[in-house]
Amino acid sequence: MKLTIVLTGTIRPQVKGGAWSVDEREKMYLSTLKYYSEKIGYKYPIVFVENSDVNICHWGGLFASSLNLEILQYPPYNIENSDFDNSQGKGYNEFLMIKKAMLTSKYLSESTHFLKITGRYPMINIIDIIKEIEKRAEDKVFFGDIKDTRIYDWIGIKNTDSGHWGDSRFFMADVDFYKRNIIDCYKEMNDYNGHNAENFIYNLSKKYRNDPRFIHRYRTQVRFDGVCGLVTDSFSESYNSPKARIKGQIRQCLRYLFPNIWF
């Protein structure tokens, strides 16, 4: 397995729901890259893919001595990027951006697999996640993290999506398989009519649930740092707060104790 990490980012978002200024978002992405430079260094190639008009040409120099970094940027004012569509929401544009990277990245052309991670939040336990990928997924074409349980329905939680969900923040895929079968998935996404990236990942797992080339659940509970938030409700919460860490520890125990119950 030759694994490349793909980080997706939008420093100046054009869709609804962004909670941070351009300067704040840029600092978040730079902080994530700095974290990976300390954790990963040159061990794994990293492709940072971005689709706004913010000038990040100097980033390559900032990390030249600490990361094996390829930066791909698709400014919306270039005619070749006219297929970005803000009316479809962030999932559509993120996975379109991944398609462009798959077709143009030097690092991805030299890789057998890639680990896609949202770029704004550092994955704290990225080494553990990569170790699991390398141990379990050498011959796999997709390794996602799925929640699929009716427990929430039984205890009266009314949100019907709460127990049936795919994590779009990270997943691993075989490069060739992705190009042949998944690369145009963005065309199925629209955040504003319920067809978001999480639903796509979940439905992909249902389609290939019995395919031995797929793994649908990590044994490692992923941990992110950073702060999430939405303008719509003025709410923000740290992914690494004491409360979040306790939840993470509980979820990790549940993965060990009940590996076949995906909640």
Side-chain angles (χ1 to χ4, degrees):
M1 172 184 288
K2 188 172 182 181
L3 184 70
T4 287
I5 298 166
V6 175
L7 304 179
T8 58
T10 302
I11 299 174
R12 192 193 307 276
Q14 303 296 322
V15 298
K16 300 175 184 177
W20 312 101
S21 71
V22 171
D23 287 344
E24 288 171 328
R25 291 176 69 89
E26 182 171 5
K27 289 176 181 176
M28 290 176 182
Y29 289 117
L30 286 171
S31 177
T32 296
L33 288 172
K34 184 176 184 299
Y35 180 83
Y36 292 146
S37 73
E38 296 168 353
K39 286 289 181 179
I40 296 172
Y42 269 82
K43 187 172 183 181
Y44 297 94
I46 294 178
V47 181
F48 183 83
V49 194
E50 204 273 344
N51 66 343
S52 74
D53 58 356
V54 177
N55 186 353
I56 59 174
C57 293
H58 60 291
W59 284 20
L62 290 176
F63 296 99
S65 62
S66 58
L67 281 177
N68 191 6
L69 179 65
E70 178 184 21
I71 297 175
L72 299 177
Q73 192 171 28
Y74 306 103
Y77 51 76
N78 287 0
I79 188 65
E80 61 266 26
N81 298 323
S82 60
D83 44 356
F84 285 109
D85 186 352
N86 296 325
S87 70
Q88 300 290 98
K90 63 182 182 179
Y92 177 99
N93 292 293
E94 181 183 24
F95 279 77
L96 171 56
M97 188 163 53
I98 293 172
K99 174 181 179 177
K100 291 178 180 290
M102 298 295 294
L103 299 177
T104 60
S105 167
K106 176 179 182 294
Y107 287 176
L108 286 171
S109 70
E110 299 170 347
S111 302
T112 61
H113 296 76
F114 71 97
L115 170 60
K116 178 269 181 186
I117 312 175
T118 186
R120 192 149 59 96
Y121 313 114
M123 182 186 283
I124 297 174
N125 59 341
I126 187 170
I127 298 300
D128 294 330
I129 292 291
I130 290 176
K131 284 181 179 178
E132 182 173 352
I133 289 171
E134 292 178 334
K135 181 178 180 180
R136 300 181 64 199
E138 177 73 33
D139 60 343
K140 306 303 180 183
V141 298
F142 196 88
F143 193 173
D145 204 48
I146 306 302
K147 182 190 296 184
D148 196 7
T149 177
R150 299 199 63 182
I151 289 177
Y152 299 98
D153 302 327
W154 297 336
I155 62 178
I157 295 179
K158 301 300 183 182
N159 183 354
T160 57
D161 291 334
S162 60
H164 313 283
W165 178 81
D167 200 329
S168 67
R169 297 173 300 173
F170 77 107
F171 60 81
M172 183 227 74
D174 176 278
V175 171
D176 290 337
F177 182 86
Y178 194 94
K179 287 180 177 179
R180 292 194 307 268
N181 299 279
I182 306 179
I183 197 167
D184 287 324
C185 65
Y186 67 95
K187 295 178 181 178
E188 303 176 30
M189 297 181 190
N190 185 319
D191 288 353
Y192 308 121
N193 66 8
H195 297 135
N196 56 28
E198 290 77 17
N199 286 337
F200 172 80
I201 299 293
Y202 174 73
N203 289 330
L204 184 72
S205 81
K206 288 182 65 179
K207 178 180 179 181
Y208 292 101
R209 189 60 56 92
N210 297 316
D211 191 323
R213 300 172 301 164
F214 275 67
I215 304 177
H216 306 285
R217 183 77 166 172
Y218 282 78
R219 294 170 183 161
T220 305
Q221 173 65 42
V222 70
R223 292 180 55 215
F224 285 96
D225 201 353
V227 179
C228 63
L230 294 173
V231 166
T232 52
D233 58 11
S234 300
F235 169 79
S236 64
E237 181 179 3
S238 171
Y239 282 120
N240 198 33
S241 67
K243 178 181 177 181
R245 289 198 296 271
I246 291 171
K247 285 183 178 179
Q249 291 169 357
I250 293 171
R251 288 169 178 162
Q252 182 63 79
C253 290
L254 292 174
R255 285 176 189 258
Y256 286 147
L257 295 173
F258 307 103
N260 296 321
I261 302 178
W262 300 353
F263 54 88

